[in-house]
Amino acid sequence: MSTIVPYVPSPYGVIKKALEIAGLKHGELFLDPGCGDGRSLIIAARDFGARAVGIEIRKDLLERAYKNVIEAGVSDNVLIVNGSFFDVTFPPADVVFLYLLTSVNEKLKPKLKKELKPETRIVSHDFQITGWKPVKILEVNEGGRSHTIYCYIVGESSREEEKQSVKI
């Protein structure tokens, strides 16, 4: 399944706030499907002491992410996989960061439910996971504009959707 998502990096302050909201802790596993230049991986590893895995399909962004991770001195705690996040099996992450389109989140939803463990925290920058109920929503002003961070918990956030599908 190939879906084009434009590369628009999340501002550093938005990523940091999203990981704070998710409660990312030292030693936990962080995942960013579509990690771009690796900034979220660096913040997770450097500022939170997490182990971080990124998935990136574009070779130019993958190379930039590797370079940035090495320059930041966090390469021992970061793994970047080249491929489509639809095709790569997700690791047992504690926190997942998404900055994808709502339509892509919708297509990714079955994979999130199937491959992530219950209680995994998902933070999505600006785009909701339709049908799931966020446990937290936060507005962040950064870079001259307002950003919305949606925080979901696998299992808990999807319960309403599962109840609806049973009724049908």
Side-chain angles (χ1 to χ4, degrees):
M1 180 182 291
S2 177
T3 303
I4 303 295
V5 177
Y7 173 63
V8 179
S10 294
Y12 291 97
V14 172
I15 297 168
K16 191 162 185 170
K17 186 57 78 175
L19 301 188
E20 287 170 4
I21 291 166
L24 183 62
K25 295 176 189 67
H26 188 275
E28 286 190 315
L29 184 59
F30 170 78
L31 171 66
D32 185 349
C35 67
D37 66 4
R39 63 181 60 197
S40 66
L41 307 174
I42 293 166
I43 292 168
R46 182 191 62 212
D47 298 352
F48 293 84
R51 297 169 294 128
V53 175
I55 303 169
E56 182 52 57
I57 196 167
R58 283 181 43 185
K59 292 271 190 195
D60 61 324
L61 290 174
L62 180 82
E63 289 169 7
R64 191 180 325 164
Y66 278 132
K67 180 179 173 278
N68 292 342
V69 163
I70 290 166
E71 285 177 0
V74 294
S75 58
D76 287 350
N77 289 322
V78 175
L79 171 68
I80 306 171
V81 179
N82 183 218
S84 166
F85 49 71
F86 287 108
D87 299 330
V88 175
T89 301
F90 287 168
D94 297 293
V95 173
V96 177
F97 179 77
L98 303 175
Y99 191 25
L100 306 170
L101 303 171
T102 301
S103 60
V104 178
N105 287 350
E106 180 69 22
K107 291 177 185 171
L108 194 58
K109 194 165 41 172
K111 184 175 178 69
L112 297 170
K113 285 173 30 176
K114 179 182 176 193
E115 295 183 13
L116 297 176
K117 61 190 178 190
E119 305 303 315
T120 300
R121 287 106 59 206
I122 301 172
V123 282
S124 183
H125 174 197
D126 279 341
F127 299 98
Q128 295 185 54
I129 301 174
T130 55
W132 286 19
K133 183 179 179 175
V135 295
K136 295 177 194 166
I137 301 173
L138 183 70
E139 295 290 326
V140 178
N141 289 310
E142 178 84 18
R145 80 170 185 89
S146 180
H147 303 264
T148 305
I149 300 168
Y150 299 94
C151 184
Y152 302 91
I153 298 176
V154 174
E156 182 178 331
S157 293
S158 61
R159 280 197 193 110
E160 283 304 311
E161 182 182 58
E162 290 164 7
K163 286 180 193 174
Q164 296 299 325
S165 65
V166 171
K167 290 179 184 176
I168 295 172

